[in-house]
Amino acid sequence: MPIPIILDCDPGHDDAVAILLAVASPKIDLRAVTTCFGNCALEDATRNALQILDVAGAPEVPVAAGASGPLSGDQALGNYVHGASGLDGPELPPPSRAADPQGAVALMASVLDAADEAVTLVVTGPMTNAAQLLRDRPDLISSITEVIFMGGSTERGNHTPSAEFNTYADPEALDEVLQTGLPVRMVGLNLTHQALATQAVVDRMRAMPHQVGQTCAAWMGFFGDSYHRVWEFDAPPVHDPCTIAALIDPEVIEWRDAFLAVELDGTWTRGETVVDLHGRYADRRPNARVALTLDVQRFWSLVFDALDRLGARGD
Ligand code: BDR
Ligand code: CA
């Protein structure tokens, strides 16, 4: 049985690869894509999600727009990485349809209400929509298998020296989700910085005999230039699809159970995730599974297979 998921995202070049992976895999049943502010303003993220699903040949997947800002605090945007549109690079046709007007939280709730089995919530942007859903409909906790999110880190940050962008953008939302006691898996920068779109990876995409491969190669080109300009990386870390890869292939990531918290008040450290890998808080039980090591070859094989599968469908 494929794993039913809702993918809540802020596309975003790496969110785009996550969407393609989810659409392509027979092991995933993508029930909805919901959008959040983050890499760009909400309306840009929503248009990008619709365009990415068109690239994937999946215009039937419902899309709805969610939060335009965090539960509290100021809005942070990632246009300095993803460009003015949030998905700069190759020119894409306008979306073939409009988003579902009911909005992200209502769409998530209706998918969960309608499901016969529990659904996995994958979050690859700020945690705002998930927190809002659980505020509005706490009865739906039992309908969610787990929340698996890209965000945080066991080590360094990227938006600030200590905080990763998604957890910086809405730390209160992540804190609320952690307080619900739902099973949580964190795929942080310490993991995703192993998923580098090297020149060999981009060349392999560009050599694919279909438009999906070329489009993905062009996205990685723009993303790589940003990572070089902002952080002097030689190749960009393709963060978000690591979450979907973990669902498709349970062996692709090694995990550790640990206590996870997010800093809400630090003068310099707001949004930093605190991961107790060495059991320093004797009174805190593990409340999350934290991604540690990626099987890099296996990860890229999943991505290449997905692109080829989508390319073959489009022929
Ligand atoms: C995260 O922030 C965004 O730039 C990416 O889409 C990813 O979700 C990495 O910090
Ligand atoms: Ca993202």
Side-chain angles (χ1 to χ4, degrees), residues 64-80:
S68 57
L71 295 180
S72 51
D74 296 333
Q75 185 198 58
L77 295 179
N79 295 100
Y80 66 98

Side-chain angles (χ1 to χ4, degrees), residues 4 25 34 49 80 82 136 151 170 267 297 307:
S25 175
T34 51
Y80 66 98
H82 297 269
D136 294 358
D170 199 341
T267 304
Q297 301 286 57
L307 298 179

Side-chain angles (χ1 to χ4, degrees), residues 9-12 35-37 40-50 85:
C9 56
D10 60 339
T35 61
C36 189
F37 79 96
C40 50
L42 177 67
E43 48 285 19
D44 293 326
T46 308
R47 183 203 56 242
N48 295 343
L50 292 163
S85 71

Side-chain angles (χ1 to χ4, degrees), residues 246-258:
L247 295 173
I248 296 171
D249 177 358
E251 304 293 310
V252 79
I253 289 177
E254 266 177 40
W255 304 86
R256 174 95 64 85
D257 290 342

Side-chain angles (χ1 to χ4, degrees), residues 84-135:
S85 71
L87 192 60
D88 278 14
E91 192 69 27
L92 298 176
S96 60
R97 60 192 165 128
D100 183 332
Q102 70 179 310
V105 170
L107 176 58
M108 287 168 149
S110 69
V111 167
L112 294 170
D113 279 329
D116 293 330
E117 68 285 79
V119 175
T120 294
L121 190 48
V122 183
V123 181
T124 62
M127 196 61 81
T128 322
N129 291 336
Q132 193 62 54
L133 171 73
L134 296 168
R135 273 186 185 186

Side-chain angles (χ1 to χ4, degrees), residues 21 27 34 56 67 89 106 120 130 163-164 170 186 191 210 216 220 235 238 242-243 245 254 257 269 291 303 309:
L21 200 50
K27 295 197 176 157
T34 51
T120 294
E164 182 280 331
D170 199 341
M186 178 181 111
L191 185 289
H210 46 72
C216 207
M220 292 305 98
V238 188
C242 296
T243 56
E254 266 177 40
D257 290 342
T269 55
V303 174
R309 206 171 295 124

